């Protein structure tokens, strides 16, 4: 059973002051800045800790990031100048190791790399501290390699084995350039050990739990939210609720949208997108949130718990760090329609004993102050 006491939100000002005095010049290296997702929210929080930090990245689109990031000095690699880089940056993956090594980080005494795409392979000063915050070792090189290869065209399928073999060699070799690793979940901690044979500490990403609130009214609808892509398994939720005849609202868009609409029965509603106010309303009023993916961490379940609602989650990946079984939600053990339908029945039986306050308290363990404290401790 997890400890449900919330992490203290009293900032350790003396520790922050000490860290800022020790590290006068800070560089933050992020793989690419072309959207605002979980990785970019981490960058925003790091910029609150180190407001004078400079940002380095492969590709940058200031129109698609927050004001916090756009207001900083951002230096890009030579990838930025290549044709179509802002939209097709991933096609330049084979050039990114070289691009990282060409970044000039002389004079920085603290380098924080943010790794999910290539970021950790920069060359730092001998006396600099290099800390890598890992959202995930590159999935397309490691455990998702065969899935990505199957989903691409014939030419890419032919080239990938040769290209990605060399990239894996560089990825492992560059792992030794990092002084300390910080994983965003225990799941990613194990993947760091498997891919790079390196130890790490765990600091969960920041979730702005104060943006969410309990609702006095709860609807009958279950809720699924996310990008409609294969690894998130929205098809499991749609098919399971077709069979159960229970109401499910799916919020998201992506390459699976058309097929899911064809699959959806009369009790399943698919909404491409919601503004934030309506999304918060759906969180707070759903009967339960269905989480079918094996995610690195998974911010949405925390946001749902912060709204006082329970989570029915696939029991692998980051969900094991966030959901407390039979207190803030339930787990199912297999990504199959049968396992999910059985879990919904168990969920219905358990639901009368659910206490919203426990879910909200658990969510507070992932508040931004907890992230700040963890990062600062990792630098000492």
């Amino acid at each position: 059973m997890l400890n449900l006491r919330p992490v203290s939100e009293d900032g350790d000002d003396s520790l922050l002051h000490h860290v800022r005095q020790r590290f006068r010049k800070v560089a933050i290296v992020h793989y690419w800045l072309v959207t605002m997702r979980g990785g970019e929210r981490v960058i925003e929080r790091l910029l609150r800790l180190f407001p004078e930090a400079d940002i380095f990245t492969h590709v940058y689109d200031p129109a698609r990031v927050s004001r916090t990031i756009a207001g900083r000095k951002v230096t890009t690699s030579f990838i930025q100048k290549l044709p179509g880089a802002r939209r097709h940056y991933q096609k330049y993956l084979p050039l990114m190791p070289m691009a990282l090594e060409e970044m000039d980080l002389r004079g920085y005494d603290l380098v924080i790399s943010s790794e999910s795409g290539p970021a950790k392979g920069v060359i730092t000063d001998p006396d600099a501290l290099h800390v890598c915050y890992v959202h995930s070792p590159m999935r397309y090189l490691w455990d998702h390699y065969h899935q990505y290869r199957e989903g691409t065209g014939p030419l890419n399928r032919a080239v990938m084995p040769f290209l990605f073999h060399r990239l894996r060699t560089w990825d492992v070799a560059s792992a030794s350039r990092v002084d300390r690793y910080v994983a965003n979940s225990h799941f990613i901690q194990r993947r760091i050990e498997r891919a790079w044979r390196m130890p790490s500490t765990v600091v969960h990403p920041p979730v702005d739990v104060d943006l969410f609130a309990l609702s006095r009214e709860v609807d009958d609808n279950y809720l699924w939210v996310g990008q409609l892509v294969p690894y998130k398994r929205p098809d499991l939720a749609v098919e399971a609720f077709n069979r159960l005849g229970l109401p499910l609202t799916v919020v998201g868009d992506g390459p699976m949208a058309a097929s899911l609409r064809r699959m959806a029965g009369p009790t399943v509603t698919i909404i491409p997108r919601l503004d934030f106010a309506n999304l918060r309303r759906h969180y707070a009023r759903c009967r339960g949130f269905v989480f079918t993916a094996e995610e690195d961490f998974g911010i949405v379940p925390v946001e749902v718990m912060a709204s006082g609602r329970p989570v029915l989650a696939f029991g692998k990946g980051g969900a094991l760090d966030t959901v407390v079984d039979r207190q803030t939600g339930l787990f199912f053990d297999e990504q199959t329609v049968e396992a999910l339908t059985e879990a919904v029945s168990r969920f219905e039986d358990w639901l009368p004993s659910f206490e919203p306050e426990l879910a909200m308290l658990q969510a507070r363990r992932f508040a931004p102050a907890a992230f700040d404290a963890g990062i600062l401790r990792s630098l000492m």
Side-chain angles (χ1 to χ4, degrees):
M1 182 182 297
L2 292 178
N3 184 350
L4 288 178
R5 290 180 299 172
V7 174
S8 170
E9 295 185 20
D10 297 326
D12 191 340
D13 292 337
S14 63
L15 179 57
L16 177 59
H17 176 75
H18 180 77
V19 168
R20 287 178 174 172
Q21 288 296 310
R22 179 182 175 188
F23 301 110
R24 296 287 188 163
K25 194 172 182 185
V26 181
I28 297 173
V29 184
H30 192 60
Y31 36 96
W32 39 74
L33 287 167
V34 294
T35 187
M36 287 301 301
R37 301 177 71 179
E40 290 70 39
R41 298 300 177 192
V42 166
I43 298 302
E44 284 188 314
R45 199 69 197 179
L46 290 173
L47 290 172
R48 289 174 63 93
L49 291 174
F50 303 104
E52 302 303 318
D54 297 326
I55 302 174
F56 292 79
T57 190
H58 288 295
V59 181
Y60 174 47
D61 187 346
R64 300 183 66 186
V65 298
S66 67
R67 292 181 180 179
T68 301
I69 295 174
R72 306 304 308 149
K73 177 185 176 183
V74 178
T75 300
T76 59
S77 74
F78 67 76
I79 304 291
Q80 177 83 8
K81 299 178 181 179
L82 300 179
R86 288 191 182 185
R87 294 190 61 186
H88 304 292
Y89 48 90
Q90 289 177 322
K91 293 183 178 179
Y92 293 112
L93 180 65
L95 298 178
M96 290 183 183
M98 182 192 303
L100 285 170
E101 293 170 355
E102 287 298 305
M103 289 180 174
D104 187 356
L105 297 178
R106 288 175 297 176
Y108 291 97
D109 46 21
L110 172 62
V111 176
I112 303 176
S113 56
S114 170
E115 176 84 0
S116 180
K120 73 182 190 309
V122 290
I123 298 172
T124 63
D125 278 350
D127 294 331
L129 177 65
H130 181 180
V131 175
C132 181
Y133 187 85
V134 186
H135 309 280
S136 174
M138 286 183 278
R139 301 174 192 89
Y140 27 85
L141 292 189
W142 299 104
D143 52 326
H144 287 191
Y145 166 70
H146 294 288
Q147 182 178 329
Y148 277 98
R149 190 178 176 217
E150 287 174 359
T152 192
L155 180 59
N156 285 339
R157 277 199 301 274
V159 171
M160 281 176 69
F162 304 96
L163 217 54
F164 280 40
H165 173 72
R166 296 185 65 182
L167 285 170
R168 285 188 203 98
T169 301
W170 174 86
D171 193 44
V172 172
S174 65
S176 63
R177 300 175 189 175
V178 175
D179 297 301
R180 299 174 192 170
Y181 282 99
V182 180
N184 74 349
S185 69
H186 289 90
F187 176 59
I188 294 304
Q189 184 180 53
R190 292 189 294 273
R191 291 181 66 189
I192 291 170
E193 170 64 28
R194 178 63 60 86
W196 303 328
R197 302 302 182 194
M198 293 290 182
S200 62
T201 57
V202 175
V203 176
H204 297 114
V207 183
D208 200 344
V209 294
D210 289 330
L211 296 177
F212 306 93
L214 186 69
S215 172
R216 294 181 180 179
E217 298 182 23
V218 176
D219 300 329
D220 291 332
N221 282 49
Y222 283 81
L223 180 66
W224 189 102
V225 175
Q227 191 179 10
L228 302 182
V229 294
Y231 91 89
K232 290 184 179 286
R233 298 307 307 272
D235 55 305
L236 282 184
V238 172
E239 183 56 33
F241 280 82
N242 280 346
R243 293 188 188 182
L244 292 164
L246 294 175
L248 171 71
T249 299
V250 174
V251 180
D253 204 355
M256 295 181 70
S259 63
L260 290 173
R261 289 193 183 93
R262 290 192 296 269
M263 181 192 302
T267 64
V268 176
T269 302
I270 300 177
I271 304 172
R273 61 186 60 84
L274 291 172
D275 60 34
F276 187 58
N278 276 310
L279 183 62
R280 287 191 302 174
R281 178 179 175 275
H282 276 72
Y283 284 168
R285 296 185 59 164
C286 70
R287 187 167 181 82
F289 181 75
V290 182
F291 190 63
T292 49
E294 182 179 346
E295 288 280 16
D296 304 329
F297 174 72
I299 288 176
V300 175
V302 179
E303 294 177 340
V304 171
M305 290 188 296
S307 307
R309 299 311 302 155
V311 179
L312 179 58
F314 178 49
K316 289 189 177 181
L320 295 175
D321 281 21
T322 58
V323 179
V324 184
D325 193 37
R326 304 199 70 81
Q327 291 190 51
T328 71
L330 293 181
F331 291 120
F332 59 98
D333 296 331
E334 297 180 354
Q335 284 180 313
T336 64
V337 174
E338 291 74 20
L340 180 52
T341 54
E342 186 275 332
V344 173
S345 298
R346 287 191 289 112
F347 190 86
E348 286 288 329
D349 292 339
W350 167 78
L351 200 52
S353 65
F354 168 68
E355 299 179 36
E357 294 76 14
L358 282 181
M360 297 172 75
L361 193 60
Q362 169 68 0
R364 294 218 67 82
R365 298 183 68 247
F366 307 96
F371 171 82
D372 294 351
I375 290 296
L376 293 175
R377 286 194 297 267
S378 74
L379 299 178
M380 298 304 297

